[in-house]
Amino acid sequence: MPKYCYAFANGKAEGKGKGKELLGGKGAGLAEMTDLGIPVPPGFTISTEVCKVYYDNDRTYPESLDGEIDEHIVHLEQAMGAKFGDHDNPLLVSVRSGAAVSMPGMMDTVLNLGLNPAAVDGLIKKTDNPRFGWDAYRRFIQMFGNVVMGINGEKFEHELDAVKQSAGVAEDTDLSAEHLQDVVKRFENVYEQHTGKPFPTEPREQLRLSIDAVFGSWNNDRAIKYRQLNKIAGLIGTAVNVQAMVFGNMGNTSATGVCFTRDPATGENVFYGEYLINAQGEDVVAGIRTPHPIAKLGEEMPDAYAELVETKNRLERHYADVQDMEFTIQEDKLYFLQTRTGKRTAPAAVKIAVDMVEEGMITQEIALQRVEAGQLDQLLHPTFDPKADKVVLATGLPASPGAAKGKVVFTADDAEAWVARGEQVILVRSETSPEDIGGMHAARGILTATGGMTSHAAVVARGMGTCCVAGCGAVVIDNASKQFSVNSTTVKEGDIISLDGSTGEVMLGDVPTVDPKLGDEYHKLMGWADGVRTMKIRTNADTPHDAQVARDFGAEGIGLCRTEHMFFEGDRIVAVREMILADDEAGRRAALAKLLPMQRDDFVGIFTTMNGLPVTIRLLDPPLHEFLPHEEDSQQEMADTLGVSIDVVRRKVKLLHEFNPMLGHRGCRLGITYPEIYEMQVQAILEAAVAVTAKDVNCLPEIMIPLIGTIQELTFTKERALAVAERVLAEAATTLEFLIGTMIEIPRAALTADEIAAEAQFFSFGTNDLTQMAFGYSRDDSGGFLTEYVQKGILPDDPFQTIDETGVGQLMRIAVEKGRGARPNLKIGICGEHGGDPASIDLCHRLGMNYVSCSPYRVPIARLAAAHAALKHG
Amino acid sequence: MPKYCYAFANGKAEGKGKGKELLGGKGAGLAEMTDLGIPVPPGFTISTEVCKVYYDNDRTYPESLDGEIDEHIVHLEQAMGAKFGDHDNPLLVSVRSGAAVSMPGMMDTVLNLGLNPAAVDGLIKKTDNPRFGWDAYRRFIQMFGNVVMGINGEKFEHELDAVKQSAGVAEDTDLSAEHLQDVVKRFENVYEQHTGKPFPTEPREQLRLSIDAVFGSWNNDRAIKYRQLNKIAGLIGTAVNVQAMVFGNMGNTSATGVCFTRDPATGENVFYGEYLINAQGEDVVAGIRTPHPIAKLGEEMPDAYAELVETKNRLERHYADVQDMEFTIQEDKLYFLQTRTGKRTAPAAVKIAVDMVEEGMITQEIALQRVEAGQLDQLLHPTFDPKADKVVLATGLPASPGAAKGKVVFTADDAEAWVARGEQVILVRSETSPEDIGGMHAARGILTATGGMTSHAAVVARGMGTCCVAGCGAVVIDNASKQFSVNSTTVKEGDIISLDGSTGEVMLGDVPTVDPKLGDEYHKLMGWADGVRTMKIRTNADTPHDAQVARDFGAEGIGLCRTEHMFFEGDRIVAVREMILADDEAGRRAALAKLLPMQRDDFVGIFTTMNGLPVTIRLLDPPLHEFLPHEEDSQQEMADTLGVSIDVVRRKVKLLHEFNPMLGHRGCRLGITYPEIYEMQVQAILEAAVAVTAKDVNCLPEIMIPLIGTIQELTFTKERALAVAERVLAEAATTLEFLIGTMIEIPRAALTADEIAAEAQFFSFGTNDLTQMAFGYSRDDSGGFLTEYVQKGILPDDPFQTIDETGVGQLMRIAVEKGRGARPNLKIGICGEHGGDPASIDLCHRLGMNYVSCSPYRVPIARLAAAHAALKHG
């Protein structure tokens, strides 16, 4: 006969070592504590297997379950010396759900189960406290009615209020035993009215209904949604814990509390928690009374406190991790009701992990796994003071982390002008474009009304490490009158707002922040990570400054240097526009000749900063129309600067207009229709490399051709690049190592990677575009429906945040296999936004990539995530 | 020792049956004719293998070749009783290139090779005609200098003119033998001046240089380009034919001509051709003298004519196909210089193929293969009278075939208004949008300045069978003044133009047309095709009218019925816009309720027309903003109609704006965020099906969900569709067979086809979108660079015209294999534009598809192409 129930009582736990999968987190903790000799009220756990059988068999229970529960009740009665429904010594139990992963809000606890008129008598006899007895009974009816039978809680509150009113009292605690007896009657009526049946007074029946409610709740909408939102998958079900009640509210020798073995906010190794004398657990949680700090318990109840400290130390040692515990003291006797791994902030996680290694409790490997890579984000940016008051105006997408505040401006030019005169500004735009780059650099933070996590604003901001809240649809911008509104609140130019790039919150006024500190523990942990990981970490950086930031964060090269960002700075845009307006190749070459020295200087700066490390430079990628102004004024200005009529500018803008620029004339397509553009860029790269090499800089350039879809595109552009390189090196009478490779960002490139690898010396996955094209989602436009897709469970994640392994990952796997099939030592990396996402980094590791590249501020996250992947998959 | 040369002489041909691959087309024909005992001047063919060896070995010849040629020359001298450079009877030969596929213009012929001063003497002696001898020599030097040595022909013409001037004559023919001797001297000087060497008088040296020039020309730019443009691939090289000269210009008993065994224009079984007395072959081709119709030869040279007729009949029987022959009569003796398969027009191809079956010459299978599927296009649309004069203003993309003419209008509204008052119009737009649909229907033809072969204008026009020239970049439209210009020519509203949708030509004025005739032969041939093909042919049709046209053309169902086209007609657009403006689901449902009866009527009409055949209906696909007006006036009109302020309209337009609508909120994404839209459509489909079934129409609806990328999208939409269907059928108290399936048009859908096939009852490949996303090409924007890509050889074809088998085809193969793996009897078709392209249909057959679907006017093409595929691949 299969075993479904696991008893824990008197230092013996049938479930010892059976684990969370079978017993749930709570059940496993109770079994473990019992086995350790820690005082735990006895009880038993109905395993998660019952939940599985229940759903596998159309909501019916295993035949043997009822008998097994009966047996365990008998044993529990024996352990407690009490009996269900007994006049003298009634057994009262709690019934709690508990899956392997904590799911608060899925199903509340039922306390005091077992009460009925006879048991209330018994309870009163035992405690000599009629008020306590009737209060317990009315609480039970209320909880059972609400939690188990789904009766609206207000129905009970309404009756309670009526009794308080007729009694002329304000607080529940002022009601007498008689009043409470009246409340019980009224509650019984409410119950019967809403269920059509009298309140069940038979304890075994109460238990049956409660267990049924717990298992039934596993697949209610709320629970399903919770698991979706929290990405909890692969669980077979919840367990049910039936446990003898203990009471922290039996007078001043009783108490209840919650505590952590270390401070979960800072990680300091100090006992941390709070408690209340003469109270039940929910009183601490509900916050009606203000609890005391745990240390004070040492004064109030020194014996219990000493036992608490001794036990919490044992638990931490046993689990080798910070424990989050619930305890109750009933008439001076300490009971542990729960222990689980304590949640902690990022700084605490780092400190605890490193401290525990130094205390000899855990290995470095385990320490690394104790810190979530994504959490590190909190350490790398200033954060808002959690104690500060704040007025949240709206919430957008947390596009680039950080805490920023400043005066609102509505144009990039204004941002630059205001900053030039010493202001701090937040740039508010519908969406940004490459023309806004100067203003984005100047701004403390960027707020956009449209666009997703990988919109222009988001990508550029993350690259800069600038805080950004994107796609905040509630923000309605009125550029004409320089103000924006959210519902009825209007924010004018010059008003101060604060942006939380980690939560997406947009707040009114100047919310105070606290600076990040990267302590010794952080550096120790990162050192261990570097020792474990097998993938290199590079960064996406377009300037010497960004490159230096990334290098300081531990980047081992540049995986993506976007040359087009350099095309906007200063006078360059004039030469770029001259090139675009040119009627023929000669005209374009003349304009490009002006750009050449500037572009060469860019690379000199970057190569020098990255001395000794590889630098992957992507040739021009965006469509040419991105370099032209679209507003009347700017077009006139451009016409004046270039000495042409505004009609010429307008006509060119119209000519270059594309319905779907993402799928248009860009990337290597430009390099093929205008080979002179790539030739200038390759010349600048090689000339810069020659120049810095002469100054003893170890320069490792990797030239990357973007948007390759066919081998012919690569052959065409590579041939010309090699010809230019040969010419430059011949003129300099020197040699130099460099690579020519390609982005894999077009599905067709992935599918024909064997052909492409024959010519490409490296692959770099552009997973932004690959995701756009594999799904047919524009990252600029899909924000709206993707949010809904994730909410409705159509997609598990936003595929622009975490690589879709099933589809996009399949293309990547095809590309890696075919690519390495054709060129076994092919260097493969990723330079899409996903390069900084831990789940995606895990996939990259499994695909056998050589490196991931991400924005500078995500380099530490990538280092840790790569270590995690190496530990997990070897 | 390998054999490289194959002699043909005196009725014996070493190359008999060796085929075109080895001997080239010309060489094989000469060998075959010789073997048949047809009088052919003797000679030998140097095989294509030599060309391969030459290029495989860095442009060196096989060692044994020279000796082998020497031997063949000796045999040729023996056969002719003449000798190279002989004073009495010199051997003269022609040297001609000839690959397996005809490549005119790759390398011209060298005639009269072997002439030198001694041989000229011999020739004069032999012919007793000094003028003839010196003229032959000067022609030879000129031809050799130009063709073999690359000397600019003008250099020779210049000298010839000088002599004519000094002689005071106007025509070459007026020059005397002495004059021509002077010309020869001058030509020798030109030769030496430009090559640095004297003209080679040694015939064997002349031959060596000529052979070298022919093989060298195989990979010159012109030849490479020619092969690219004509999609000639897989050839190993050209052969070289060395053949004894015969002369049609040896007086009035000599002649030369070109003829066909049947009329290549009409296909009629009449001898067809033309000739010139006392002329060389190039005189007929050059058109300096007007040749006579071949029948006249019967009067002028009855014996030679009789032999010609007898021989051409033998050749046609031998090859069992129309032959295109060149002949020369030298002093009453007939020689055949070439025979090859005759090119023919589409009507001729059909008639000849069917006639030959009825004459017992070929089987039905061969007859089918004799007609190119694409050619049928010519039969299905009116065409411009080839005899008409025309002024071609510009040439755009031949987007939808046909010959259209009418008065130019610049807006869809004008088109409708002008047609309403009885005019025929050509709609000229920068690009069309769904709002223009009414005007596009009304217009005779559509001309757009931007957009490719699969732009909106092109796709819709092909669907309607309306003539369209798209992406005609030379056309500069000035909407404000209602005119367009091409260079200096301006065309005003109301001016008449003519469009040739098969060539892309835009012509001034009213060019006369001729109507197509689908004769008995066409119907017979199509019947044979239907008997052979294994794939069904469906059509893309949105109206009962289109459906009827397609059915008349032989369509066996509708593969794509686009419901959104129905959303624009008449009052519907008002309800659609009402739905879009609605603030909530209730508002949308109210508007959709108005659309329901109209949409139901649409389906009633289509189901009735397609009685007994399946109808695949695609639920709403385009983004909602396509249904809103974008111009101020129309927005005001919409606001007035719906009783809202224009701001409301403007705001919605702005809200729905997308940067990349192709990758935006459309297809099933709309059906998921607004499930009520698809629910209305499914209700309309099912209610229509119930209604027509009650009237004894056999209705087979297939509901197709567009733009599926994940199985969850399909599950979500399918569940709701089934619920609606169940409700409709329950209310009607009836049952009905219907299918629910999906488009495969997103790369991710192809990659996860196994998951999707678990829910989808059929797949229909949307290869337009699949191509867009696999390549990352917007079909609306890529026209410009794709043309250049094909020209530069980056792509073999425009992938929107012919499916890219390597990439897109790979995705399709994955989808078919995974789909059928999960659901072995999965019905699979294609409804993209490629469904009407013969090469793509061949791929579809090989992929094992059940059907292809194309626009009505391409149904016959698809029927024939499917037959071809079945014959080719079994």
mmCIF file of all heavy atoms in Angstrom, chain A residues 660 662-663 669 672 713 748 776 778 781 789 792 804 810 818, chain B residues 660 663 669 672 713 748 776 778 781 789 792 804 810 818:
data_model
loop_
_atom_site.group_PDB
_atom_site.id
_atom_site.type_symbol
_atom_site.label_atom_id
_atom_site.label_comp_id
_atom_site.label_asym_id
_atom_site.label_seq_id
_atom_site.Cartn_x
_atom_site.Cartn_y
_atom_site.Cartn_z
ATOM 1 N N ASN A 660 9.009 49.632 -43.331
ATOM 2 C CA ASN A 660 9.498 48.750 -42.264
ATOM 3 C C ASN A 660 11.020 48.827 -42.216
ATOM 4 O O ASN A 660 11.712 47.934 -42.707
ATOM 5 C CB ASN A 660 9.054 47.303 -42.543
ATOM 6 C CG ASN A 660 7.554 47.148 -42.470
ATOM 7 O OD1 ASN A 660 6.977 47.084 -41.382
ATOM 8 N ND2 ASN A 660 6.916 47.106 -43.621
ATOM 9 N N MET A 662 13.164 48.240 -40.148
ATOM 10 C CA MET A 662 13.870 47.117 -39.532
ATOM 11 C C MET A 662 14.229 46.056 -40.577
ATOM 12 O O MET A 662 15.193 45.317 -40.426
ATOM 13 C CB MET A 662 12.957 46.537 -38.446
ATOM 14 C CG MET A 662 13.615 45.578 -37.515
ATOM 15 S SD MET A 662 15.030 46.314 -36.679
ATOM 16 C CE MET A 662 14.211 47.553 -35.664
ATOM 17 N N LEU A 663 13.389 45.974 -41.603
ATOM 18 C CA LEU A 663 13.587 44.965 -42.643
ATOM 19 C C LEU A 663 14.053 45.620 -43.938
ATOM 20 O O LEU A 663 13.818 45.111 -45.020
ATOM 21 C CB LEU A 663 12.255 44.231 -42.902
ATOM 22 C CG LEU A 663 11.579 43.581 -41.693
ATOM 23 C CD1 LEU A 663 10.249 42.970 -42.102
ATOM 24 C CD2 LEU A 663 12.471 42.502 -41.095
ATOM 25 N N ARG A 669 23.629 45.355 -46.407
ATOM 26 C CA ARG A 669 22.969 45.770 -47.655
ATOM 27 C C ARG A 669 23.480 47.142 -48.094
ATOM 28 O O ARG A 669 23.603 47.402 -49.291
ATOM 29 C CB ARG A 669 21.453 45.798 -47.435
ATOM 30 C CG ARG A 669 20.922 44.428 -47.067
ATOM 31 C CD ARG A 669 19.542 44.443 -46.434
ATOM 32 N NE ARG A 669 19.302 43.165 -45.764
ATOM 33 C CZ ARG A 669 18.220 42.876 -45.059
ATOM 34 N NH1 ARG A 669 17.260 43.781 -44.927
ATOM 35 N NH2 ARG A 669 18.098 41.699 -44.485
ATOM 36 N N ILE A 672 26.932 46.777 -49.529
ATOM 37 C CA ILE A 672 26.967 46.189 -50.872
ATOM 38 C C ILE A 672 26.526 47.209 -51.923
ATOM 39 O O ILE A 672 27.130 47.316 -52.983
ATOM 40 C CB ILE A 672 26.108 44.913 -50.904
ATOM 41 C CG1 ILE A 672 26.839 43.811 -50.122
ATOM 42 C CG2 ILE A 672 25.831 44.469 -52.340
ATOM 43 C CD1 ILE A 672 26.018 42.591 -49.830
ATOM 44 N N GLU A 713 26.690 37.698 -49.650
ATOM 45 C CA GLU A 713 26.856 39.014 -49.028
ATOM 46 C C GLU A 713 28.197 39.089 -48.295
ATOM 47 O O GLU A 713 28.910 40.090 -48.358
ATOM 48 C CB GLU A 713 25.714 39.289 -48.042
ATOM 49 C CG GLU A 713 24.390 39.565 -48.717
ATOM 50 C CD GLU A 713 23.241 39.637 -47.709
ATOM 51 O OE1 GLU A 713 23.225 38.836 -46.749
ATOM 52 O OE2 GLU A 713 22.357 40.472 -47.882
ATOM 53 N N ARG A 748 17.878 33.267 -41.866
ATOM 54 C CA ARG A 748 18.490 32.551 -42.973
ATOM 55 C C ARG A 748 19.988 32.332 -42.753
ATOM 56 O O ARG A 748 20.551 31.344 -43.220
ATOM 57 C CB ARG A 748 18.261 33.310 -44.281
ATOM 58 C CG ARG A 748 18.524 32.457 -45.510
ATOM 59 C CD ARG A 748 18.355 33.242 -46.797
ATOM 60 N NE ARG A 748 18.563 32.393 -47.954
ATOM 61 C CZ ARG A 748 19.739 31.983 -48.392
ATOM 62 N NH1 ARG A 748 20.839 32.351 -47.740
ATOM 63 N NH2 ARG A 748 19.839 31.196 -49.451
ATOM 64 N N GLY A 776 8.765 37.463 -35.769
ATOM 65 C CA GLY A 776 8.023 38.496 -36.488
ATOM 66 C C GLY A 776 7.511 39.568 -35.545
ATOM 67 O O GLY A 776 6.409 40.070 -35.703
ATOM 68 N N SER A 778 8.330 43.336 -33.976
ATOM 69 C CA SER A 778 9.156 44.530 -33.954
ATOM 70 C C SER A 778 9.386 44.906 -32.498
ATOM 71 O O SER A 778 8.441 45.070 -31.733
ATOM 72 C CB SER A 778 8.434 45.669 -34.664
ATOM 73 O OG SER A 778 8.894 46.902 -34.193
ATOM 74 N N ASP A 781 7.549 47.996 -31.466
ATOM 75 C CA ASP A 781 6.090 48.071 -31.518
ATOM 76 C C ASP A 781 5.386 47.012 -30.674
ATOM 77 O O ASP A 781 4.198 47.087 -30.457
ATOM 78 C CB ASP A 781 5.618 47.889 -32.968
ATOM 79 C CG ASP A 781 6.226 48.937 -33.899
ATOM 80 O OD1 ASP A 781 6.185 50.126 -33.531
ATOM 81 O OD2 ASP A 781 6.739 48.558 -34.952
ATOM 82 N N TYR A 789 0.676 39.110 -23.797
ATOM 83 C CA TYR A 789 1.033 37.715 -24.089
ATOM 84 C C TYR A 789 1.603 37.023 -22.852
ATOM 85 O O TYR A 789 1.288 35.876 -22.581
ATOM 86 C CB TYR A 789 2.073 37.678 -25.227
ATOM 87 C CG TYR A 789 1.486 37.459 -26.598
ATOM 88 C CD1 TYR A 789 0.226 37.960 -26.932
ATOM 89 C CD2 TYR A 789 2.165 36.729 -27.557
ATOM 90 C CE1 TYR A 789 -0.306 37.751 -28.182
ATOM 91 C CE2 TYR A 789 1.627 36.511 -28.819
ATOM 92 C CZ TYR A 789 0.390 37.019 -29.124
ATOM 93 O OH TYR A 789 -0.137 36.794 -30.362
ATOM 94 N N LYS A 792 -1.209 36.543 -20.319
ATOM 95 C CA LYS A 792 -2.147 35.481 -20.692
ATOM 96 C C LYS A 792 -1.476 34.114 -20.799
ATOM 97 O O LYS A 792 -2.125 33.141 -21.154
ATOM 98 C CB LYS A 792 -2.819 35.817 -22.030
ATOM 99 C CG LYS A 792 -3.875 36.910 -21.921
ATOM 100 C CD LYS A 792 -4.641 37.106 -23.229
ATOM 101 C CE LYS A 792 -5.845 38.023 -22.994
ATOM 102 N NZ LYS A 792 -6.453 38.521 -24.229
ATOM 103 N N ASP A 804 14.142 33.002 -26.275
ATOM 104 C CA ASP A 804 13.170 31.925 -26.453
ATOM 105 C C ASP A 804 13.930 30.689 -26.906
ATOM 106 O O ASP A 804 14.340 30.586 -28.053
ATOM 107 C CB ASP A 804 12.163 32.372 -27.518
ATOM 108 C CG ASP A 804 11.472 31.195 -28.194
ATOM 109 O OD1 ASP A 804 10.864 30.394 -27.470
ATOM 110 O OD2 ASP A 804 11.564 31.073 -29.431
ATOM 111 N N GLN A 810 16.582 27.345 -31.021
ATOM 112 C CA GLN A 810 16.727 26.287 -32.023
ATOM 113 C C GLN A 810 17.553 26.784 -33.211
ATOM 114 O O GLN A 810 18.428 26.084 -33.721
ATOM 115 C CB GLN A 810 15.332 25.836 -32.480
ATOM 116 C CG GLN A 810 15.332 24.543 -33.258
ATOM 117 C CD GLN A 810 13.923 24.109 -33.683
ATOM 118 O OE1 GLN A 810 13.752 23.508 -34.713
ATOM 119 N NE2 GLN A 810 12.907 24.422 -32.901
ATOM 120 N N LYS A 818 26.021 23.806 -37.378
ATOM 121 C CA LYS A 818 26.435 23.906 -38.776
ATOM 122 C C LYS A 818 27.739 24.704 -38.899
ATOM 123 O O LYS A 818 28.602 24.366 -39.698
ATOM 124 C CB LYS A 818 25.347 24.567 -39.628
ATOM 125 C CG LYS A 818 24.122 23.687 -39.840
ATOM 126 C CD LYS A 818 23.245 24.242 -40.971
ATOM 127 C CE LYS A 818 22.178 23.230 -41.372
ATOM 128 N NZ LYS A 818 21.393 23.678 -42.531
ATOM 129 N N ASN B 660 7.341 49.511 -37.466
ATOM 130 C CA ASN B 660 7.499 48.387 -38.389
ATOM 131 C C ASN B 660 6.208 47.573 -38.387
ATOM 132 O O ASN B 660 6.132 46.515 -37.764
ATOM 133 C CB ASN B 660 8.677 47.496 -37.969
ATOM 134 C CG ASN B 660 10.007 48.215 -38.083
ATOM 135 O OD1 ASN B 660 10.539 48.398 -39.163
ATOM 136 N ND2 ASN B 660 10.529 48.652 -36.939
ATOM 137 N N LEU B 663 5.904 43.824 -38.557
ATOM 138 C CA LEU B 663 6.285 43.025 -37.394
ATOM 139 C C LEU B 663 5.471 43.448 -36.176
ATOM 140 O O LEU B 663 5.908 43.300 -35.050
ATOM 141 C CB LEU B 663 7.781 43.214 -37.099
ATOM 142 C CG LEU B 663 8.753 42.928 -38.243
ATOM 143 C CD1 LEU B 663 10.180 43.268 -37.826
ATOM 144 C CD2 LEU B 663 8.674 41.464 -38.646
ATOM 145 N N ARG B 669 -2.317 38.051 -33.298
ATOM 146 C CA ARG B 669 -2.061 38.915 -32.137
ATOM 147 C C ARG B 669 -3.279 39.788 -31.859
ATOM 148 O O ARG B 669 -3.584 40.097 -30.707
ATOM 149 C CB ARG B 669 -0.820 39.783 -32.422
ATOM 150 C CG ARG B 669 0.420 38.922 -32.645
ATOM 151 C CD ARG B 669 1.539 39.655 -33.347
ATOM 152 N NE ARG B 669 2.513 38.671 -33.842
ATOM 153 C CZ ARG B 669 3.587 38.951 -34.561
ATOM 154 N NH1 ARG B 669 3.848 40.211 -34.882
ATOM 155 N NH2 ARG B 669 4.393 38.007 -34.977
ATOM 156 N N ILE B 672 -5.957 37.698 -30.257
ATOM 157 C CA ILE B 672 -5.697 37.363 -28.852
ATOM 158 C C ILE B 672 -5.962 38.565 -27.956
ATOM 159 O O ILE B 672 -6.561 38.439 -26.890
ATOM 160 C CB ILE B 672 -4.258 36.822 -28.694
ATOM 161 C CG1 ILE B 672 -4.195 35.425 -29.330
ATOM 162 C CG2 ILE B 672 -3.846 36.781 -27.228
ATOM 163 C CD1 ILE B 672 -2.812 34.861 -29.492
ATOM 164 N N GLU B 713 -0.554 30.482 -29.043
ATOM 165 C CA GLU B 713 -1.428 31.381 -29.804
ATOM 166 C C GLU B 713 -2.531 30.594 -30.496
ATOM 167 O O GLU B 713 -3.690 31.002 -30.539
ATOM 168 C CB GLU B 713 -0.610 32.149 -30.861
ATOM 169 C CG GLU B 713 0.294 33.207 -30.279
ATOM 170 C CD GLU B 713 1.248 33.795 -31.329
ATOM 171 O OE1 GLU B 713 1.743 33.042 -32.179
ATOM 172 O OE2 GLU B 713 1.503 35.004 -31.272
ATOM 173 N N ARG B 748 9.498 30.972 -36.551
ATOM 174 C CA ARG B 748 9.351 30.173 -35.341
ATOM 175 C C ARG B 748 8.270 29.108 -35.479
ATOM 176 O O ARG B 748 8.329 28.035 -34.866
ATOM 177 C CB ARG B 748 9.047 31.079 -34.141
ATOM 178 C CG ARG B 748 9.233 30.373 -32.817
ATOM 179 C CD ARG B 748 8.849 31.254 -31.658
ATOM 180 N NE ARG B 748 9.160 30.609 -30.394
ATOM 181 C CZ ARG B 748 8.431 29.646 -29.865
ATOM 182 N NH1 ARG B 748 7.366 29.208 -30.485
ATOM 183 N NH2 ARG B 748 8.799 29.097 -28.708
ATOM 184 N N GLY B 776 14.799 38.874 -43.462
ATOM 185 C CA GLY B 776 14.792 40.215 -42.912
ATOM 186 C C GLY B 776 14.642 41.262 -44.007
ATOM 187 O O GLY B 776 15.250 42.319 -43.949
ATOM 188 N N SER B 778 11.869 43.629 -45.990
ATOM 189 C CA SER B 778 10.503 44.118 -46.130
ATOM 190 C C SER B 778 10.172 44.122 -47.607
ATOM 191 O O SER B 778 10.882 44.698 -48.410
ATOM 192 C CB SER B 778 10.403 45.541 -45.579
ATOM 193 O OG SER B 778 9.334 46.230 -46.185
ATOM 194 N N ASP B 781 9.944 47.555 -49.073
ATOM 195 C CA ASP B 781 11.089 48.458 -49.095
ATOM 196 C C ASP B 781 12.300 47.899 -49.826
ATOM 197 O O ASP B 781 13.240 48.627 -50.119
ATOM 198 C CB ASP B 781 11.531 48.780 -47.651
ATOM 199 C CG ASP B 781 10.401 49.397 -46.851
ATOM 200 O OD1 ASP B 781 9.762 50.314 -47.366
ATOM 201 O OD2 ASP B 781 10.158 48.936 -45.729
ATOM 202 N N TYR B 789 20.942 43.343 -55.857
ATOM 203 C CA TYR B 789 21.431 42.054 -55.387
ATOM 204 C C TYR B 789 21.405 41.022 -56.514
ATOM 205 O O TYR B 789 22.330 40.229 -56.662
ATOM 206 C CB TYR B 789 20.564 41.571 -54.214
ATOM 207 C CG TYR B 789 21.135 41.889 -52.855
ATOM 208 C CD1 TYR B 789 21.859 43.057 -52.641
ATOM 209 C CD2 TYR B 789 20.960 41.029 -51.790
ATOM 210 C CE1 TYR B 789 22.379 43.345 -51.393
ATOM 211 C CE2 TYR B 789 21.480 41.305 -50.541
ATOM 212 C CZ TYR B 789 22.188 42.458 -50.345
ATOM 213 O OH TYR B 789 22.700 42.733 -49.116
ATOM 214 N N LYS B 792 24.083 41.926 -59.043
ATOM 215 C CA LYS B 792 25.447 41.651 -58.595
ATOM 216 C C LYS B 792 25.666 40.169 -58.294
ATOM 217 O O LYS B 792 26.734 39.778 -57.839
ATOM 218 C CB LYS B 792 25.765 42.474 -57.340
ATOM 219 C CG LYS B 792 25.998 43.954 -57.639
ATOM 220 C CD LYS B 792 26.484 44.731 -56.417
ATOM 221 C CE LYS B 792 26.936 46.132 -56.822
ATOM 222 N NZ LYS B 792 27.155 47.020 -55.680
ATOM 223 N N ASP B 804 13.306 31.004 -52.133
ATOM 224 C CA ASP B 804 14.708 30.710 -51.869
ATOM 225 C C ASP B 804 14.770 29.327 -51.232
ATOM 226 O O ASP B 804 14.465 29.160 -50.058
ATOM 227 C CB ASP B 804 15.246 31.774 -50.900
ATOM 228 C CG ASP B 804 16.457 31.283 -50.124
ATOM 229 O OD1 ASP B 804 17.438 30.895 -50.757
ATOM 230 O OD2 ASP B 804 16.381 31.291 -48.872
ATOM 231 N N GLN B 810 14.363 25.596 -46.621
ATOM 232 C CA GLN B 810 14.808 24.776 -45.493
ATOM 233 C C GLN B 810 13.801 24.859 -44.345
ATOM 234 O O GLN B 810 13.454 23.850 -43.716
ATOM 235 C CB GLN B 810 16.189 25.253 -45.034
ATOM 236 C CG GLN B 810 16.882 24.319 -44.073
ATOM 237 C CD GLN B 810 18.292 24.804 -43.683
ATOM 238 O OE1 GLN B 810 18.748 24.545 -42.593
ATOM 239 N NE2 GLN B 810 18.959 25.511 -44.559
ATOM 240 N N LYS B 818 8.418 18.119 -39.524
ATOM 241 C CA LYS B 818 7.958 18.123 -38.127
ATOM 242 C C LYS B 818 6.439 18.044 -38.059
ATOM 243 O O LYS B 818 5.872 17.380 -37.187
ATOM 244 C CB LYS B 818 8.450 19.388 -37.411
ATOM 245 C CG LYS B 818 9.945 19.391 -37.125
ATOM 246 C CD LYS B 818 10.308 20.496 -36.125
ATOM 247 C CE LYS B 818 11.736 20.303 -35.633
ATOM 248 N NZ LYS B 818 12.121 21.302 -34.617
#
